[in-house]
Amino acid sequence: MSVPLEIRAAARHILCMREPSAKAAAAQALAQRLGSSPLNPRRDFALLAAIPGRPERPALVAPQQVPMRSPFTLVGRAALLHAIAHIEFNAINLALDAVWRFPGLPRSFYQDWVQVAAEEGLHFTLLNAHLASLGHCYGDFDAHNGLWDMAQRTAHHLAARMALVPRVLEARGLDVTPGLQAKFAQAGDTRAAEILAVILHDEIGHVAVGNRWYHWCCEREHLDPVMFSQRMADEHHAPPARPPINQAARLAAGFSPAELALMATPPIQRTKLMPGLV
């Protein structure tokens, strides 16, 4: 079936694709025709059980069942790259889901998330190609479904989606990627380190998109951005930020110094600072 012309319908169609490389390529192609294709912000779509489309592999297991791997063995390096590729594949889905699921928003919202989906598609393609050079492909190792689980929990509230997916789960990549780069470089895998440099650069922009639209939602709904974000994190059991915190990257992505200070505050003290949460 051909991809629909209208941008939001096309995003929904691509989200349902099961083959990862085809999905990544289609997301990149969609971004290339953003300026020439119609975009209908007002259309409501029916829910589909096929969302998101996934391949039969990898097997999805509980997060604690995904083993930790060392980058200093070939299979360990491949498993780590596979874990990152799985995050990028899910990130394609998350960006496309934002495009079709939430109607009535400014055109720039949909354009932003189509562009994010395209860049996540590039990241997946780079990682999968490097996996192939190591004798593996996406699907060879077990993975978990944490990113999409959070998308499901926030499917009916845009502010909650923006608070928790780009600003909590995806922002964690800003913290851990420099350490992963160093490990791959130390293991002699300069190509992996180069790919992670591309990803880190782009992810600062993606988290900035999430921050921008989160604050837009908060202004529209008269929400306190810090309080609401923390309340959503508590309600939905989002993982707290933990060291190392990449302060420079998070500031570049739109986090305020006050938010970064709160991340460094132990939970008991945080409750005292924010009594409205209890």
Side-chain angles (χ1 to χ4, degrees), residues 156-175:
H156 304 293
H157 192 179
L158 177 61
R161 170 70 68 88
M162 295 294 107
L164 298 182
V165 174
R167 285 172 34 91
V168 174
L169 299 185
E170 295 188 87
R172 182 61 183 153
L174 305 183
D175 302 329

Side-chain angles (χ1 to χ4, degrees), residues 7-8 11 31-32 52 63 69 75-76 95 110 134 168 194 198 204 216 225 239 243 261 266:
I7 293 295
R8 293 181 61 227
Q32 291 174 356
R69 301 281 189 158
V75 69
Y110 306 109
L134 301 179
V168 174
E194 290 169 354
V198 172
I204 291 173
W216 182 90

Side-chain angles (χ1 to χ4, degrees), residues 59-137:
L60 298 179
V61 299
Q64 59 270 24
Q65 292 181 305
V66 179
M68 298 293 291
R69 301 281 189 158
S70 166
F72 298 101
T73 67
L74 182 61
V75 69
R77 250 190 347 271
L80 272 177
L81 285 166
H82 184 277
I84 301 167
H86 181 67
I87 291 170
E88 299 302 317
F89 176 70
N90 273 279
I92 302 170
N93 288 336
L94 290 165
L96 294 171
D97 190 71
V99 173
W100 81 267
R101 184 177 295 277
F102 299 106
L105 300 171
R107 294 177 65 89
S108 56
F109 174 89
Y110 306 109
Q111 292 166 341
D112 279 351
W113 289 109
V114 167
Q115 189 60 48
V116 169
E119 291 174 3
E120 305 290 17
L122 172 63
H123 300 167
F124 176 84
T125 301
L126 293 173
L127 290 163
N128 204 32
H130 190 45
L131 268 175
S133 75
L134 301 179
H136 289 276
C137 65

Side-chain angles (χ1 to χ4, degrees), residues 11-264:
R12 184 172 179 261
H13 176 90
I14 297 167
L15 181 59
C16 293
M17 289 183 175
R18 291 173 56 88
E19 205 287 311
S21 294
K23 176 177 287 189
Q28 293 175 79
L30 182 62
Q32 291 174 356
R33 61 180 180 86
L34 261 178
S36 60
S37 297
L39 196 163
N40 182 358
R42 294 179 298 278
R43 181 176 174 183
D44 267 316
F45 292 91
L47 297 177
L48 291 178
I51 291 175
R54 296 184 182 279
E56 291 184 7
R57 300 167 57 242
L60 298 179
V61 299
Q64 59 270 24
Q65 292 181 305
V66 179
M68 298 293 291
R69 301 281 189 158
S70 166
F72 298 101
T73 67
L74 182 61
V75 69
R77 250 190 347 271
L80 272 177
L81 285 166
H82 184 277
I84 301 167
H86 181 67
I87 291 170
E88 299 302 317
F89 176 70
N90 273 279
I92 302 170
N93 288 336
L94 290 165
L96 294 171
D97 190 71
V99 173
W100 81 267
R101 184 177 295 277
F102 299 106
L105 300 171
R107 294 177 65 89
S108 56
F109 174 89
Y110 306 109
Q111 292 166 341
D112 279 351
W113 289 109
V114 167
Q115 189 60 48
V116 169
E119 291 174 3
E120 305 290 17
L122 172 63
H123 300 167
F124 176 84
T125 301
L126 293 173
L127 290 163
N128 204 32
H130 190 45
L131 268 175
S133 75
L134 301 179
H136 289 276
C137 65
Y138 180 62
D140 282 357
F141 302 91
D142 291 350
H144 68 78
N145 204 28
L147 275 171
W148 188 256
D149 285 346
M150 187 63 77
Q152 289 182 303
R153 289 181 229 158
T154 57
H156 304 293
H157 192 179
L158 177 61
R161 170 70 68 88
M162 295 294 107
L164 298 182
V165 174
R167 285 172 34 91
V168 174
L169 299 185
E170 295 188 87
R172 182 61 183 153
L174 305 183
D175 302 329
V176 302
T177 299
L180 289 172
Q181 282 180 274
K183 287 182 179 179
F184 280 117
Q186 189 178 356
D189 194 333
T190 55
R191 180 56 181 157
E194 290 169 354
I195 294 171
L196 288 179
V198 172
I199 291 174
L200 179 59
H201 173 271
D202 291 348
E203 292 298 340
I204 291 173
H206 300 174
V207 177
V209 168
N211 260 317
R212 180 164 64 252
W213 288 107
Y214 173 65
H215 286 279
W216 182 90
C217 290
C218 288
E219 184 174 345
R220 183 179 67 162
E221 299 182 32
H222 307 290
L223 301 168
D224 179 273
V226 177
M227 291 286 290
F228 181 76
S229 181
Q230 190 60 53
R231 181 159 62 84
M232 289 298 96
D234 291 344
E235 285 185 12
H236 294 288
H237 308 290
R242 59 187 186 276
I245 302 293
N246 189 339
Q247 301 242 353
R250 283 181 176 264
L251 284 170
F255 285 93
S256 69
E259 287 178 298
L260 295 180
L262 192 63
M263 288 176 198

